[in-house]
Amino acid sequence: MPLLRKRREELRAQTVAGQQKAVQRQHALGKRTARERLDLLLDEGSFTEIGTFRRHQAHGLKVEENRPHTDGVITGSGTVFGRQVFVYSQDFTVFGGSVGAAHAAKIHRLMDLALAAGAPLIGINDSGGARIQEGVASIDGYGGIFRRSVAASGVIPQISVVVGPCAGGAAYSPALADVTFMVRDISQLYLTGPDVVEVVTGERVTHAELGGAQVHGTRSGLATFVHDDEEECLADVRYLLSLLPGNNLEPPPAAGPRGAATDERPRLAEIVPVDPGKPYDMRDVITEIVDDGEFIELHEEWARNVICALARVDGAVVGIVGNQPIVLAGVLDVEAPQKAARFVRFCDAFNIPLVTLVDVPGFLPGSDQERAGIIRHGAKLLYAYCEATVPRVQVILRKAYGGAYIVMDSHSVGGDLSFAWPTNEIAVMGAEGAVNVVFRKELAASADPEALRAELVAEYTDQLTHPYHAAERGYVDEVIDPAQTRSAIARGLAMLRDKRAEPPRRKHGNIPL
């Protein structure tokens, strides 16, 4: 006991005195220390540390002269809202948070425990990268982290929080995680830093321009959430965890029923214009549908023409995918299917039912889209829905045209229930476009093409795009009053609560990556 007490006092002295300047530098940059971050993330007093006394065993380049405890990463387990999680927090005040053999071994051990316990894993990244003094041992340590991350994928939720530099091989941990959080002005995520970029390409670029939170939140799509400070960021990590199960064998944590099955929302008819060409904000629709109007939107600033969100309906967690008419009219382009497909697969992996809100004019036409691979990327969303076995409810608010209708969880790709508003239009394309294609010769020969076009548009609409055309043929299960959308979704999900679907036996499919 006296020896243990002495060792712990030495560790405390090392942390308080030996790293005082480093801690001050962290705070000056608007950054918290590794342990301060754990205090913000976890329930008070819940953290149990493991590997406290771990030290590196490396020699050469004078590295043996500095062997601090923890080796630059704090590892252990605690609770968030009373539920178990495993977490590591890299300590930039020790070797710049760089990863050596001992550092990596601590993370390996933690990941093995998280997988065995079936509990979420959170990695808080603040690291200068591989520890140069340890050479290949550092690189090998990264490989062990990545292999374990892939093994745990779809089994336990993996959350990456980038609150400092995360460069080189380290960048693949956030890329492999289910969800990645970044903070403006302090997060840096890239494979090669600005100095290397300038030497190799001649391009001068800042850390923020190369791999800051704004870049990954709006352009690369790597950052799921972007926050202004660490406190707000870690608070959102806690909120997200409250919506996720511990592992793939558990349902998401449920709250009590909220009377959604009989709840009417007449404002929905006011939010969505009848005119299919007029825009509106799909987030206003989601607010009316979900409990207390609360939802958390993933990738809010990337591929904004599609919305992906987690919320509750009648106390049950749901994943929501919706077209966004105020951005590119809600059309599907190269990026939107990538965003939605990853979200659909995430929800399916962790038993989160899917609600798909459809108002889509089609895929974005153009040679740039075709050359960028819109067919391949669109197929990702198609694949994700076809593969999903969780309960799936589709609501067609207004229009659903062509291939975009199919990939937005139609019956034909395995959607369980399809509801449609009386304003719905399901067709290969809009009436005017269809008339221009089908009757182009007649219109060209007509003495009054505009009058003929109006007549043909009315005829096409009456025959093929009227609200009940799809319902008469079984492609839509019910045409509902917009005010009853929340109750229809709640009832539908309750109906499907015990759904069982076994995927075919195979090693894995070959998604069009």
Side-chain angles (χ1 to χ4, degrees):
M1 289 294 289
L3 179 59
L4 174 61
R5 190 178 300 112
K6 180 182 178 183
R7 285 291 182 95
R8 291 199 179 279
E9 287 175 354
E10 288 175 354
L11 178 61
R12 180 178 176 276
Q14 167 194 299
T15 303
V16 174
Q19 297 169 268
Q20 191 172 28
K21 289 184 179 179
V23 170
Q24 289 172 350
R25 285 195 296 272
Q26 284 280 96
H27 289 165
L29 293 170
K31 297 168 62 177
R32 298 276 187 158
T33 66
R35 294 187 185 277
E36 287 171 342
R37 289 163 178 158
L38 292 175
D39 289 340
L40 287 171
L41 174 65
L42 302 172
D43 297 339
E44 185 175 357
S46 70
F47 184 58
T48 299
E49 187 171 353
I50 58 174
T52 308
F53 297 107
R54 191 71 185 257
R55 304 164 86 176
H56 74 77
Q57 307 298 316
H59 294 275
L61 302 177
K62 296 185 179 181
V63 70
E64 67 275 6
E65 296 176 7
N66 184 17
R67 298 179 61 233
H69 292 294
T70 74
D71 202 53
V73 63
I74 314 301
T75 57
S77 179
T79 61
V80 173
F81 296 118
R83 299 169 64 230
Q84 198 75 26
V85 299
F86 287 78
V87 59
Y88 67 85
S89 181
Q90 292 179 315
D91 188 350
F92 199 79
T93 69
V94 176
F95 289 130
S98 62
V99 176
H103 183 122
K106 289 182 67 175
I107 296 176
H108 296 169
R109 173 76 173 140
L110 185 81
M111 295 178 81
D112 291 341
L113 290 172
L115 189 59
L121 174 72
I122 302 103
I124 302 178
N125 299 274
D126 188 3
S127 169
R131 192 172 300 167
I132 297 172
Q133 300 94 321
E134 296 195 32
V136 71
S138 172
I139 301 173
D140 180 74
Y142 275 127
I145 293 171
F146 304 153
R147 178 168 58 84
R148 286 169 172 82
S149 183
V150 172
S153 181
V155 181
I156 56 173
Q158 298 180 77
I159 297 173
S160 182
V161 184
V162 182
V163 280
C166 190
Y172 284 112
S173 279
L176 290 170
D178 295 306
V179 177
T180 297
F181 288 79
M182 295 185 74
V183 179
R184 290 184 181 87
D185 300 327
I186 68 170
S187 298
Q188 300 163 15
L189 187 57
Y190 40 66
L191 289 177
T192 51
D195 294 340
V196 176
V197 169
E198 183 174 0
V199 169
V200 175
T201 70
E203 179 189 6
R204 290 188 177 184
V205 62
T206 67
H207 290 279
E209 291 168 342
L210 185 62
Q214 194 67 15
V215 170
H216 292 301
T218 62
R219 299 185 66 181
S220 77
L222 185 55
T224 320
F225 298 100
V226 174
H227 291 283
D228 292 328
D229 55 59
E230 292 189 25
E231 291 79 5
E232 180 186 275
C233 174
L234 292 169
D236 240 15
V237 175
R238 286 176 59 87
Y239 177 54
L240 176 65
L241 285 166
S242 74
L243 298 171
L244 301 180
N247 57 68
N248 65 325
L249 300 180
E250 299 176 358
R258 304 299 298 273
T262 57
D263 194 354
E264 295 205 357
R265 298 298 174 98
R267 185 169 176 268
L268 283 169
E270 301 171 6
I271 293 172
V272 181
V274 174
D275 182 346
K278 288 189 176 180
Y280 63 93
D281 193 338
M282 185 63 81
R283 287 172 295 194
D284 293 337
V285 174
I286 295 172
T287 298
E288 290 295 313
I289 291 171
V290 303
D291 295 352
D292 303 319
E294 293 183 358
F295 61 93
I296 183 169
E297 186 175 348
L298 289 72
H299 296 289
E300 184 176 356
E301 295 300 322
W302 177 60
R304 295 187 303 117
N305 42 325
V306 69
I307 293 174
C308 298
L310 290 170
R312 294 181 187 274
V313 174
D314 213 23
V317 177
V318 298
I320 299 173
V321 179
N323 306 112
Q324 175 56 293
I326 61 171
V327 180
L328 296 175
V331 73
L332 295 178
D333 61 356
V334 166
E335 292 183 335
Q338 298 179 63
K339 170 179 168 178
R342 181 161 172 79
F343 179 70
V344 167
R345 300 190 90 208
F346 171 70
C347 290
D348 187 52
F350 294 110
N351 309 311
I352 299 172
L354 287 160
V355 175
T356 304
L357 304 176
V358 184
D359 191 347
V360 61
F363 283 93
L364 184 62
S367 59
D368 59 334
Q369 290 289 305
E370 297 292 349
R371 292 167 184 166
I374 193 168
I375 298 172
R376 179 168 55 86
H377 294 304
K380 293 176 182 178
L381 182 54
L382 180 63
Y383 191 106
Y385 271 124
C386 288
E387 185 182 47
T389 60
V390 292
R392 291 150 56 185
V393 175
Q394 178 198 54
V395 183
I396 301 168
L397 278 64
R398 210 166 48 169
K399 58 188 178 296
Y401 295 157
Y405 156 66
I406 298 172
V407 304
M408 290 299 291
D409 204 21
S410 63
H411 268 329
S412 59
V413 297
D416 295 303
L417 290 173
S418 178
F419 302 123
W421 287 11
T423 51
N424 84 84
E425 294 181 5
I426 304 175
V428 176
M429 61 179 67
E432 188 161 335
V435 165
N436 289 335
V437 172
V438 176
F439 300 102
R440 61 182 179 274
K441 291 182 179 179
E442 290 85 345
L443 290 169
S446 174
D448 189 352
E450 292 306 317
L452 178 60
R453 180 181 286 107
E455 179 185 337
L456 293 171
V457 165
E459 181 181 351
Y460 182 91
T461 301
D462 183 60
Q463 291 184 18
L464 293 177
T465 65
H466 66 78
Y468 299 95
H469 179 77
E472 289 171 1
R473 287 155 180 79
Y475 305 131
V476 165
D477 293 300
E478 285 294 328
V479 178
I480 62 172
D481 184 329
Q484 296 173 347
T485 304
R486 174 169 157 82
S487 61
I489 291 172
R491 289 170 180 265
L493 291 175
M495 182 192 308
L496 298 166
R497 184 171 295 125
D498 296 324
K499 175 187 174 184
R500 294 291 181 267
E502 290 295 327
R505 294 187 64 181
R506 57 184 173 183
K507 188 173 181 180
H508 56 72
N510 189 18
I511 187 169
L513 297 173

